[in-house]
Amino acid sequence: MMIKQSPFLLLTVILFTIAVFVAALDPAPEDPIFELYMHDLLGGSSPTARPITGLLGNIYNGQVPFAKQIGFTPPQNGIAIPNANGALPTVNGINGVPLGTGLSGTAYSGQNLNGIQTQLGPDGLSLGFGTITVIDDILTSGPDLGSQPLGKAQGVYVASSADGSTQMMAFTAMFEGGEYNDNLNFYGIYRIGSAMSHLSVTGGTGRFKNACGFAEVRPLIPSGQHVVDGAESLLRIIVHLKY
């Protein structure tokens, strides 16, 4: 006994087969990519980063009980107090920020672009080694500090190499204006003085739920359009996401 096939059913099967075939031929859509700029400010009247441990943290916070915090620059005619290992920090430029602090690309790592050797203590380690810096950095859509704000980067970076050439970074980018709690988590090693470093994207929340991927991090020279009285490190971050 023969069963008569419905023309509608046959047409549906043909269209479904064609759709599957076309989908197999089409390349996968590109991974979401976006760009943001991170402003790390040390010292000055509106800092977004502060060393909290190690020699450099002691300089910032005071080294004796009930000491008044004086920041990185000693008072006029003041005498710097040596660290426990007898080492004294060297400051960088007019901001008075000790070498080995922060993310700037030409001031700290070994034989850097300015030809200045990183200062080492008697134990042979960089004075900044082990320094933990807490950040609440500003994220913007453009390289100028006055450009459209996107949110904040909150977390830490740690001077993780003996010669002061790398910082281990772990922070969350918290984006403003989202309907949900739109956060993206980053972790990895930032190489000071390198043209580009890579950080892993370790997850997120809100519209970034289940996100993974990586970020390309490049140091830039601040434009100077928005004048700050601290030491600014500017990072361009290009994020490549998968879900």
Side-chain angles (χ1 to χ4, degrees):
M1 179 178 177
M2 298 182 62
I3 300 176
K4 186 178 180 180
Q5 293 183 347
S6 168
F8 177 76
L9 178 60
L10 182 60
L11 180 60
T12 302
V13 172
I14 293 174
L15 292 176
F16 177 77
T17 304
I18 294 174
V20 171
F21 181 73
V22 171
L25 293 179
D26 284 344
E30 293 185 1
D31 298 328
I33 299 176
F34 64 93
E35 180 179 278
L36 51 89
Y37 294 83
M38 177 173 160
H39 305 262
D40 189 70
L41 301 173
L42 279 167
S45 57
S46 301
T48 64
R50 172 177 293 175
I52 59 171
T53 63
L55 169 62
L56 303 177
N58 291 339
I59 296 170
Y60 191 93
N61 294 301
Q63 299 186 13
V64 295
F66 311 110
K68 180 181 178 181
Q69 297 184 8
I70 60 174
F72 291 123
T73 307
Q76 187 176 4
N77 300 322
I79 299 175
I81 303 176
N83 191 32
N85 64 6
L88 289 172
T90 299
V91 297
N92 176 40
I94 60 174
N95 298 301
V97 177
L99 295 178
T101 313
L103 302 172
S104 284
T106 61
Y108 315 129
S109 57
Q111 188 67 31
N112 57 59
L113 300 180
N114 292 332
I116 303 173
Q117 188 71 24
T118 298
Q119 188 179 11
L120 303 178
D123 54 6
L125 299 176
S126 164
L127 297 187
F129 180 56
T131 300
I132 299 175
T133 302
V134 179
I135 63 172
D136 185 20
D137 289 345
I138 300 170
L139 299 175
T140 62
S141 60
D144 187 67
L145 186 56
S147 48
Q148 178 184 358
L150 298 178
K152 291 289 191 72
Q154 293 186 350
V156 298
Y157 55 79
V158 183
S160 53
S161 61
D163 63 355
S165 64
T166 62
Q167 296 275 3
M168 186 278 292
M169 303 188 74
F171 65 91
T172 297
M174 303 186 301
F175 297 93
E176 299 174 346
E179 183 178 356
Y180 303 101
N181 186 22
D182 297 333
N183 298 333
L184 200 57
N185 302 322
F186 297 88
Y187 177 82
I189 297 296
Y190 175 75
R191 302 183 183 279
I192 297 174
S194 175
M196 182 170 65
S197 302
H198 290 90
L199 302 179
S200 298
V201 174
T202 59
T205 59
R207 63 190 175 102
F208 299 116
K209 182 179 179 181
N210 298 324
C212 62
F214 68 96
E216 300 172 351
V217 183
R218 295 176 173 86
L220 299 178
I221 298 175
S223 64
Q225 295 180 15
H226 192 101
V227 179
V228 296
D229 56 356
E232 179 182 0
S233 297
L234 174 61
L235 301 182
R236 179 191 182 194
I237 304 175
I238 301 177
V239 185
H240 301 257
L241 295 182
K242 293 183 178 180
Y243 294 91

